[in-house]
Amino acid sequence: MAKRLSTKRLALTGNEAVAEAFKQVNPDVAAVFPITPQTELMHKFAEYVNDGKVDTELIAVESEHSAMSAAVGAAAGGVRAITATSANGLALMWEILYIAAGMRLPIVMALVNRSLGGPLNIHCDHGDAMGARDAGWIHIYSENTQEAYDNTLQAFRIAEHREVMLPTMITLDGFIISHTTEVLEILDDETAKSFVGEYKPLTSLLNPDQPVTMGSLALPDYYFEHKRQLVEGMYNAPRVIEQVAKEYYELTGRQYGFLENYRMEDAEAAIVVMGSAAGTTKEVVDSLRDRGVKAGMIKLRVFRPFPHEQLANALSHLNSVAVLDRCISYGAQGGPVFGEVRSAMYGKTIPVHSYIYGLGGRDLTPHMVESAYNDLFEGKSDPRMRYLGLRE
Amino acid sequence: MAKLTEIRWHARGGQGAKTASTFLAEAAIHAGMYSQGFPDYGPERMGAPIRGFTRISDQPIRLHCAIDEPDVVVVLDDTLLDNVDVCEGLPETGIVLINSHKDAATIRSKIKWKGKSLFIVNASGIALEEMGRPIPNTPMLGALAKISETVALDALLEDIQKKFAKKFKAQVVEGNLRSIKRAYEEVRAA
């Protein structure tokens, strides 16, 4: 039994929950620029700055490109830096995302998932995060406001670990989580602070006793080795993610890892899904189980580094698998999560199917999830992507 | 078994349905329940039809989707009845609460739903008298407390009092509390 510390039960939106975690961490620098549906997250945090609840230096920049650049500058200067964005804002950061990772700067960013037009749309899908799939960031997804809060606190520990040193984004589904008021438990400020700990940078550009060069030119003679080292950080991350989750569990009783296996023990078919859709899927699993249908679900919490081995093991006893992607990869065999899952299942004969859902905030109802399970149990196969909740 | 109540709000932009859906969730959470409150974000024009949603349960809520089959429908503007099927997906055993000064027969004639539990309250009228502005959202919460098992009147009043006292002057807080109590008393079965 985990020991329970003093916690507070609050009604907060996902944006407010992340702002609360940021407040408890009290980072040194926050680079902020508004974009729907992220805006109110940093709006809330800016209130904390204004009210003296934190002593963060808030930099109101002129674009997201500048927000990430300011975060890079601050982190290279040896301080804890945060930012937050959505969709087009993340796209505008694109260039600097790679530089943040390449410079091994443990910036923590909240990404409130939103579709990338056109047509213009402000609602949720995971296309924004998937665009940054190969930027060298750690990606952690949240199912609800509680997880958005918990993931934010854990992100600092993961990013800043000496053997990882990688920027980390925690994501929450735009509007569905960012703007929904839900109940969550938060730690008291002191416990949260001591869990996250004080930031001791490995190097700082502002330390004259230890002069370093950062972000310099690396031509064909060294560039490749830098990228290989970044891979090493990703390889080290799983152990750190598990360790941080274990400590967090001891503190809160809430369990985190790479996967949440839901009713998987004797399952015959399962859905793999990320983010808020996992909750709706669990409800469907329960109702199918009530009817004697052996359905299971796996929620994928960490997309980078991808838990290939764990996932393959968790799925190895099934007859079939469906992967639900809230993102489309045009011209591919399926969504980006599907591609990873099928690759993880290489050498096994279990069929893996791709379903695309929820683009641009299209609601995912229990009926839609159930229709995917029905396909699995009826053995309906299709080599192409299928769609949930689409008019054709 | 979890006892889940799903409430769908219909209003026009500016009438406070988003706020009401969230206030109800907050009051339920502060009263020890599990709850979710969220609006259906679209083009947020004044006067455009909008929806809000509240779920209340004695168990953690995992669903994260809109409410297509509500237990309760709350309508903040009776002119919506002419062009929105507010009762879509509502079973006949459900509850409808409408803000209107019109009589029961007129309201009945505008909706397709044939269930019994239809309630009417003149929330805009109450708000105008008590607060000087016809913003029906807080009195509708009072009426809802009376006709449904969502949140008790005392818990609602306490939560609104605490919340509003931080933001508004005493006159506004009192006006809202009086509106809630009056709507609780004046809501009538139709």
Side-chain angles (χ1 to χ4, degrees), chain A residues 29-43:
Chain A
V29 169
V32 304
F33 192 80
I35 182 169
T36 302
Q38 176 278 127
T39 303
E40 65 173 25
L41 194 166
M42 278 303 181
H43 181 147

Side-chain angles (χ1 to χ4, degrees), chain A residues 215-234:
Chain A
S216 63
L217 185 70
L219 292 176
D221 53 353
Y222 277 112
Y223 181 87
F224 205 171
E225 282 72 23
H226 278 283
K227 293 297 155 179
R228 174 65 183 84
Q229 286 180 355
L230 201 155
V231 171
E232 206 55 28
M234 274 292 175

Side-chain angles (χ1 to χ4, degrees), chain A residues 9 123 181-182 262 286 363, chain B residues 22 29 33 37 41 62 64 66:
Chain A
R9 192 175 179 277
H123 288 272
T181 299
E182 288 188 319
Y262 190 71
D286 284 357
D363 205 17
Chain B
T22 305
I29 289 169
M33 304 287 282
Y41 282 92
R62 302 181 297 188
H64 280 109

Side-chain angles (χ1 to χ4, degrees), chain A residues 45 50 59 66 84 96-97 113 119 140 159 170 189-191 213 228 248 256 271 295 315 318 330 344-345 360 371 380:
Chain A
F45 187 76
N50 183 60
I59 310 175
S66 300
I96 315 299
L97 291 176
N113 293 117
I140 304 177
I170 67 103
D189 291 353
E190 281 319 305
T191 309
T213 300
R228 174 65 183 84
Y248 200 75
Y256 288 92
I271 278 177
L315 298 173
L318 302 175
Y330 309 100
M345 298 288 281
S371 75
K380 272 192 207 157

Side-chain angles (χ1 to χ4, degrees), chain A residues 9 11 123 143-144 175-177 179-183 262 276 279-280 282-283 286 363-367, chain B residues 22 25-26 29-30 32-39 41-42 60-69:
Chain A
R9 192 175 179 277
H123 288 272
E143 179 186 325
N144 48 38
F175 290 108
I176 303 166
I177 302 302
H179 285 62
T180 292
T181 299
E182 288 188 319
V183 61
Y262 190 71
S276 64
T280 306
K282 286 176 202 167
E283 290 289 330
D286 284 357
D363 205 17
L364 182 75
T365 65
H367 294 295
Chain B
T22 305
E26 288 172 355
I29 289 169
H30 295 149
M33 304 287 282
Y34 292 90
S35 189
Q36 269 179 355
F38 56 104
Y41 282 92
I61 298 169
R62 302 181 297 188
L63 285 169
H64 280 109
C65 51
I67 296 170
D68 293 332
E69 290 163 11

Side-chain angles (χ1 to χ4, degrees), chain A residues 264-316:
Chain A
M264 286 296 290
E265 307 77 35
D266 60 340
E268 291 169 359
I271 278 177
V272 178
V273 72
M274 300 198 299
S276 64
T280 306
T281 306
K282 286 176 202 167
E283 290 289 330
V284 176
V285 168
D286 284 357
S287 82
L288 290 169
R289 288 276 179 171
D290 289 345
R291 285 178 267 155
V293 179
K294 290 186 172 172
M297 184 209 76
I298 289 183
K299 179 175 80 188
L300 183 60
R301 173 183 175 236
V302 183
F303 180 72
R304 279 291 181 271
F306 195 88
H308 290 97
E309 240 178 82
Q310 270 194 40
L311 192 68
N313 286 337
L315 298 173
S316 62

